[in-house]
Amino acid sequence: MEYIPGMPKLSNRTRVIQVLNIPCRPGCDGTGCLCSNVVTQLLEELPDGTKGTRVIERRLPGSVTILAKSEVEVPAWVAQSQVVKQAVAQGRLRLVEH
Ligand SMILES: [Zn+2]
């Protein structure tokens, strides 16, 4: 039988909500990451007087929200990210690995 380890957990050690912005993984193609694509449609007037719609697609980095005194499971690559390491070093979060 194969052993499937549990996902690491991030535990919020503070009394305030922690929001971590997680940058994309290298080579992110919009999948396998926490980011999301946001599509905005802009109605604009073109030089010839007609109106056109411009579609702008932006990629928003993902974020992890941990309520005060609680914990959330995160993928291992998130637990190993610089943002999390920094928060752990600052004593804001504790990383619980299985
Ligand atoms: Zn991404």
Side-chain angles (χ1 to χ4, degrees):
M1 199 161 41
E2 198 183 352
Y3 173 65
I4 301 168
M7 294 217 292
K9 283 182 188 165
L10 291 179
S11 171
N12 184 351
R13 305 180 65 193
T14 71
R15 293 174 187 279
V16 293
I17 189 169
Q18 298 288 329
V19 179
L20 303 171
N21 291 312
I22 309 293
C24 280
R25 304 172 82 170
C28 169
D29 61 355
T31 59
C33 201
L34 295 182
C35 66
S36 55
N37 288 325
V38 176
V39 176
T40 312
Q41 294 197 353
L42 275 188
L43 189 65
E44 61 180 10
E45 197 164 324
L46 302 174
D48 63 3
T50 60
K51 286 196 165 64
T53 306
R54 191 147 58 113
V55 177
I56 298 171
E57 195 173 310
R58 286 177 304 151
R59 188 168 288 170
L60 290 185
S63 66
V64 172
T65 302
I66 314 162
L67 298 177
K69 298 282 176 191
S70 60
E71 54 185 31
V72 293
E73 285 187 334
V74 293
W77 69 270
V78 171
Q80 284 150 19
S81 69
Q82 202 56 43
V83 179
V84 168
K85 281 181 183 164
Q86 202 172 49
V88 170
Q90 290 167 349
R92 292 189 284 135
L93 295 181
R94 196 163 58 91
L95 183 58
V96 186
E97 286 184 278
H98 299 272

